Amino acid sequence: MFLAWRKVPTVLVERHPGSSPHPRAIGFTPRTLELFRAVGLGSRIPQAPPDFRLRRARVESLAGKWFEESSWTPEDPQASPIEYSPCSGAALAQDRLEPILRDKAIALGADIRLETELIRFEQDADGVTVWLRERNGREYTMRAAYVIAADGHRSPIREALGIGRQGRGTMRVVRSVLFRAPLEKYLEAGVSQFQIEQPGLSAFLTTYGDGRWVLMFSDDEERDEPTLRTLVSKAIGRSDLEIELITTGRWELSALIADRFSAGRVFLAGDAAHTLPPNRGGYGANTGIDDAHNLAWKLSAVLSGASTPQLLDTYDAERRPIAWLRHQQIFVRTDYKAEAAGTAADAKIIDDAAMEFGQLYRSAAVLGTSDDLPPAQRPDQWAGQPGTRAPHLWISKGGERLSTLDLLQRSWVLLAEDERWAPAATLAARQLGLPLESLRIGADVRPSDPEALHKAFGLGAGGASLIRPDGYVAWRSSELPADPLRALTDALGQVSFAARRS
Ligand SMILES: Cc1cc2nc3c(=O)[nH]c(=O)nc-3n(C[C@H](O)[C@H](O)[C@H](O)COP(=O)(O)OP(=O)(O)OC[C@H]3O[C@@H](n4cnc5c(N)ncnc54)[C@H](O)[C@@H]3O)c2cc1C
């Protein structure tokens, strides 16, 4: 979807006819919703109230005794009341979200081929040849400039490339039992995740919010349907309800990060690049969606001829540390601490707003970072630091109330107040052959609080912020330099890997 939105001709092959019968993810985070908003899906995905908090309780069973609640991140007494995003998260089952994304991708021109398996690929200096097989047995080849291996945690493509993985490793085999039952009354207290603890059953129970529930527990044996029904009834604490078993399956709970996120013209994304245990931070599907978003603008810039292929090296440089940061955050927190096996010994819990909106990219596509900066902070702490997502503030543009984030993503953006930046931007864009939109604070963009905007972006009256097409700050000049054109051309040429510059 992100590639098609950037007008990159895209073919997606999926060996199955549709989404997995087991929905898996349910929590999509505000940052993911920001990315969906940017491609025009804002109104298609129902969002949770802004103050929504995923609540989990330890219970004997749903109908039995409820013990204590546990939080994912300890409450921060100094938590800031700042509104960090125009979006809140969404509680939507993955099999309900995927068709929305698929339809949007098709509407944008993506060629989606279901029931088509990639069986082999070969890459050379100019492209990748893939061998595809349809379910009816027909085989054919296709030639692509690049391939994204979003082929899941077992990733046959990653394996064929010989890319290893590191991390906590495989922890155990988990069984999921998806069922439908009339249990709405147990959600009235606002808790939607339940850690079941009773003699003979230690399990996790949650709802997909649409009448479907899933029970998960460690399991290394085959079980027949009556046994599964008994376990579901034990978790509910009642045997008088009608339960429809929808599907069951076993999967490996693992935490593994690929050693490289690319090899030549092939890029790993999603679980192929990093599988992380399901967690309340939403570090599974959401991290993968962010990979795809990071890669899409880079591929689009390279394929359009604006940037040199070296820009693509920054994908691994930016996304692999994020996968590791999330791996560490999972094992330093209460839910998985006991299973960390020493993997996150040096890690400290980072607050949720920092993880969600304030992760730092350090790469050659950013100027002005250093090794001593923390891996994530809240946007108000960063104050427009290059390498972080541009902050959200409400502004008015042409009479319309927008988020600063709504101004981004279509091209490079230069945000500045001083009138000398606009001509510099026009000339720099022309010299480098890049799309660059110049937005003047106070004229094109009217903040409700000009001082707050300057502060959020870390700009003095003469300063400017250069924002990448993925909404990340690439470079900043806090004040007006002696030669704005030169400063901007140098910076933009470097961070964009402008093809005309090299
Ligand atoms: C029980 C459970 C609960 C979870 N809950 C959450 C949650 O609440 N929030 C969250 O963020 N994440 C959650 N996750 C994780 C999330 O589901 C995964 O991170 C996400 O599905 C990964 O997406 P992906 O596209 O990378 O891989 P997948 O969803 O695994 O998709 C890979 C696809 O590639 C296809 N494929 C593989 N090989 C080929 C081939 N050779 N040719 C054609 N097609 C191929 C497969 O058929 C598959 O459809 C959960 C996971 C589990 C197991």
mmCIF file of all heavy atoms in Angstrom, residues 385-405:
data_model
loop_
_atom_site.group_PDB
_atom_site.id
_atom_site.type_symbol
_atom_site.label_atom_id
_atom_site.label_comp_id
_atom_site.label_asym_id
_atom_site.label_seq_id
_atom_site.Cartn_x
_atom_site.Cartn_y
_atom_site.Cartn_z
ATOM 1 N N GLN A 385 14.703 17.127 17.252
ATOM 2 C CA GLN A 385 16.005 16.510 16.989
ATOM 3 C C GLN A 385 16.007 15.768 15.637
ATOM 4 O O GLN A 385 15.123 14.925 15.394
ATOM 5 C CB GLN A 385 16.310 15.521 18.129
ATOM 6 C CG GLN A 385 17.386 14.501 17.845
ATOM 7 C CD GLN A 385 18.774 15.102 17.707
ATOM 8 O OE1 GLN A 385 19.141 15.994 18.476
ATOM 9 N NE2 GLN A 385 19.531 14.628 16.735
ATOM 10 N N PRO A 386 16.975 16.065 14.751
ATOM 11 C CA PRO A 386 17.073 15.262 13.531
ATOM 12 C C PRO A 386 17.191 13.772 13.859
ATOM 13 O O PRO A 386 17.860 13.389 14.824
ATOM 14 C CB PRO A 386 18.352 15.791 12.877
ATOM 15 C CG PRO A 386 18.422 17.217 13.337
ATOM 16 C CD PRO A 386 17.924 17.186 14.768
ATOM 17 N N GLY A 387 16.514 12.965 13.058
ATOM 18 C CA GLY A 387 16.491 11.518 13.301
ATOM 19 C C GLY A 387 15.242 11.064 14.015
ATOM 20 O O GLY A 387 15.026 9.870 14.184
ATOM 21 N N THR A 388 14.410 12.029 14.433
ATOM 22 C CA THR A 388 13.153 11.654 15.100
ATOM 23 C C THR A 388 11.967 12.115 14.243
ATOM 24 O O THR A 388 12.100 12.993 13.390
ATOM 25 C CB THR A 388 13.026 12.272 16.513
ATOM 26 O OG1 THR A 388 12.946 13.696 16.400
ATOM 27 C CG2 THR A 388 14.211 11.903 17.384
ATOM 28 N N ARG A 389 10.820 11.508 14.511
ATOM 29 C CA ARG A 389 9.596 11.883 13.796
ATOM 30 C C ARG A 389 9.275 13.342 14.077
ATOM 31 O O ARG A 389 9.340 13.793 15.216
ATOM 32 C CB ARG A 389 8.468 10.970 14.287
ATOM 33 C CG ARG A 389 7.065 11.459 14.100
ATOM 34 C CD ARG A 389 6.150 10.528 14.875
ATOM 35 N NE ARG A 389 4.847 11.043 15.169
ATOM 36 C CZ ARG A 389 4.558 11.943 16.111
ATOM 37 N NH1 ARG A 389 5.507 12.474 16.841
ATOM 38 N NH2 ARG A 389 3.303 12.290 16.321
ATOM 39 N N ALA A 390 8.926 14.080 13.020
ATOM 40 C CA ALA A 390 8.547 15.484 13.212
ATOM 41 C C ALA A 390 7.372 15.539 14.173
ATOM 42 O O ALA A 390 6.454 14.727 14.090
ATOM 43 C CB ALA A 390 8.168 16.117 11.876
ATOM 44 N N PRO A 391 7.399 16.495 15.111
ATOM 45 C CA PRO A 391 6.335 16.532 16.124
ATOM 46 C C PRO A 391 4.970 16.972 15.574
ATOM 47 O O PRO A 391 4.896 17.671 14.575
ATOM 48 C CB PRO A 391 6.857 17.540 17.148
ATOM 49 C CG PRO A 391 7.926 18.300 16.473
ATOM 50 C CD PRO A 391 8.452 17.487 15.339
ATOM 51 N N HIS A 392 3.949 16.518 16.283
ATOM 52 C CA HIS A 392 2.575 16.902 15.924
ATOM 53 C C HIS A 392 2.145 18.146 16.695
ATOM 54 O O HIS A 392 2.352 18.248 17.894
ATOM 55 C CB HIS A 392 1.621 15.755 16.272
ATOM 56 C CG HIS A 392 0.235 16.223 16.620
ATOM 57 N ND1 HIS A 392 -0.663 16.656 15.671
ATOM 58 C CD2 HIS A 392 -0.399 16.351 17.813
ATOM 59 C CE1 HIS A 392 -1.790 17.021 16.265
ATOM 60 N NE2 HIS A 392 -1.663 16.846 17.562
ATOM 61 N N LEU A 393 1.575 19.088 15.977
ATOM 62 C CA LEU A 393 0.903 20.244 16.578
ATOM 63 C C LEU A 393 -0.240 20.598 15.653
ATOM 64 O O LEU A 393 -0.157 20.349 14.448
ATOM 65 C CB LEU A 393 1.846 21.454 16.635
ATOM 66 C CG LEU A 393 2.862 21.438 17.756
ATOM 67 C CD1 LEU A 393 4.150 22.021 17.280
ATOM 68 C CD2 LEU A 393 2.349 22.264 18.916
ATOM 69 N N TRP A 394 -1.285 21.189 16.205
ATOM 70 C CA TRP A 394 -2.388 21.613 15.337
ATOM 71 C C TRP A 394 -2.029 22.949 14.703
ATOM 72 O O TRP A 394 -1.516 23.855 15.381
ATOM 73 C CB TRP A 394 -3.695 21.725 16.133
ATOM 74 C CG TRP A 394 -4.190 20.386 16.593
ATOM 75 C CD1 TRP A 394 -4.208 19.910 17.869
ATOM 76 C CD2 TRP A 394 -4.711 19.337 15.760
ATOM 77 N NE1 TRP A 394 -4.709 18.630 17.889
ATOM 78 C CE2 TRP A 394 -5.030 18.248 16.605
ATOM 79 C CE3 TRP A 394 -4.943 19.197 14.390
ATOM 80 C CZ2 TRP A 394 -5.554 17.048 16.124
ATOM 81 C CZ3 TRP A 394 -5.472 18.009 13.914
ATOM 82 C CH2 TRP A 394 -5.771 16.942 14.780
ATOM 83 N N ILE A 395 -2.301 23.070 13.422
ATOM 84 C CA ILE A 395 -2.033 24.316 12.699
ATOM 85 C C ILE A 395 -3.223 24.582 11.776
ATOM 86 O O ILE A 395 -4.087 23.738 11.619
ATOM 87 C CB ILE A 395 -0.742 24.222 11.844
ATOM 88 C CG1 ILE A 395 -0.780 22.982 10.935
ATOM 89 C CG2 ILE A 395 0.497 24.175 12.704
ATOM 90 C CD1 ILE A 395 -1.033 23.252 9.537
ATOM 91 N N SER A 396 -3.172 25.749 11.156
ATOM 92 C CA SER A 396 -4.205 26.023 10.163
ATOM 93 C C SER A 396 -3.496 26.288 8.831
ATOM 94 O O SER A 396 -2.456 26.954 8.778
ATOM 95 C CB SER A 396 -5.027 27.206 10.670
ATOM 96 O OG SER A 396 -5.439 27.994 9.619
ATOM 97 N N LYS A 397 -4.031 25.684 7.772
ATOM 98 C CA LYS A 397 -3.440 25.896 6.434
ATOM 99 C C LYS A 397 -4.601 26.114 5.465
ATOM 100 O O LYS A 397 -5.477 25.259 5.356
ATOM 101 C CB LYS A 397 -2.633 24.676 6.020
ATOM 102 C CG LYS A 397 -1.931 24.855 4.690
ATOM 103 C CD LYS A 397 -0.914 23.748 4.456
ATOM 104 C CE LYS A 397 -0.079 24.069 3.228
ATOM 105 N NZ LYS A 397 -0.537 23.402 2.036
ATOM 106 N N GLY A 398 -4.606 27.273 4.834
ATOM 107 C CA GLY A 398 -5.701 27.599 3.921
ATOM 108 C C GLY A 398 -7.052 27.508 4.616
ATOM 109 O O GLY A 398 -8.042 27.067 4.026
ATOM 110 N N GLY A 399 -7.074 27.864 5.896
ATOM 111 C CA GLY A 399 -8.333 27.863 6.652
ATOM 112 C C GLY A 399 -8.712 26.504 7.215
ATOM 113 O O GLY A 399 -9.706 26.368 7.915
ATOM 114 N N GLU A 400 -7.914 25.482 6.922
ATOM 115 C CA GLU A 400 -8.252 24.133 7.383
ATOM 116 C C GLU A 400 -7.411 23.797 8.618
ATOM 117 O O GLU A 400 -6.218 24.112 8.662
ATOM 118 C CB GLU A 400 -7.885 23.149 6.258
ATOM 119 C CG GLU A 400 -8.657 21.868 6.290
ATOM 120 C CD GLU A 400 -8.173 20.920 5.176
ATOM 121 O OE1 GLU A 400 -7.510 21.378 4.225
ATOM 122 O OE2 GLU A 400 -8.440 19.734 5.303
ATOM 123 N N ARG A 401 -8.052 23.161 9.597
ATOM 124 C CA ARG A 401 -7.299 22.737 10.787
ATOM 125 C C ARG A 401 -6.626 21.412 10.494
ATOM 126 O O ARG A 401 -7.291 20.417 10.190
ATOM 127 C CB ARG A 401 -8.240 22.603 11.979
ATOM 128 C CG ARG A 401 -7.527 22.264 13.286
ATOM 129 C CD ARG A 401 -8.540 22.194 14.425
ATOM 130 N NE ARG A 401 -7.901 22.038 15.723
ATOM 131 C CZ ARG A 401 -7.888 20.896 16.397
ATOM 132 N NH1 ARG A 401 -8.444 19.800 15.892
ATOM 133 N NH2 ARG A 401 -7.307 20.842 17.594
ATOM 134 N N LEU A 402 -5.311 21.403 10.571
ATOM 135 C CA LEU A 402 -4.544 20.193 10.245
ATOM 136 C C LEU A 402 -3.519 19.925 11.323
ATOM 137 O O LEU A 402 -3.153 20.817 12.091
ATOM 138 C CB LEU A 402 -3.784 20.397 8.923
ATOM 139 C CG LEU A 402 -4.590 20.614 7.641
ATOM 140 C CD1 LEU A 402 -3.645 20.954 6.498
ATOM 141 C CD2 LEU A 402 -5.395 19.372 7.311
ATOM 142 N N SER A 403 -3.015 18.701 11.326
ATOM 143 C CA SER A 403 -1.840 18.398 12.138
ATOM 144 C C SER A 403 -0.614 18.739 11.306
ATOM 145 O O SER A 403 -0.655 18.637 10.068
ATOM 146 C CB SER A 403 -1.831 16.900 12.481
ATOM 147 O OG SER A 403 -0.533 16.502 12.893
ATOM 148 N N THR A 404 0.461 19.117 11.957
ATOM 149 C CA THR A 404 1.716 19.312 11.212
ATOM 150 C C THR A 404 2.036 18.039 10.410
ATOM 151 O O THR A 404 2.609 18.107 9.336
ATOM 152 C CB THR A 404 2.891 19.595 12.178
ATOM 153 O OG1 THR A 404 2.774 18.709 13.299
ATOM 154 C CG2 THR A 404 2.926 21.025 12.656
ATOM 155 N N LEU A 405 1.624 16.869 10.943
ATOM 156 C CA LEU A 405 1.926 15.616 10.250
ATOM 157 C C LEU A 405 1.210 15.543 8.903
ATOM 158 O O LEU A 405 1.667 14.862 7.985
ATOM 159 C CB LEU A 405 1.530 14.405 11.100
ATOM 160 C CG LEU A 405 2.102 14.324 12.517
ATOM 161 C CD1 LEU A 405 1.799 12.957 13.118
ATOM 162 C CD2 LEU A 405 3.595 14.578 12.546
#
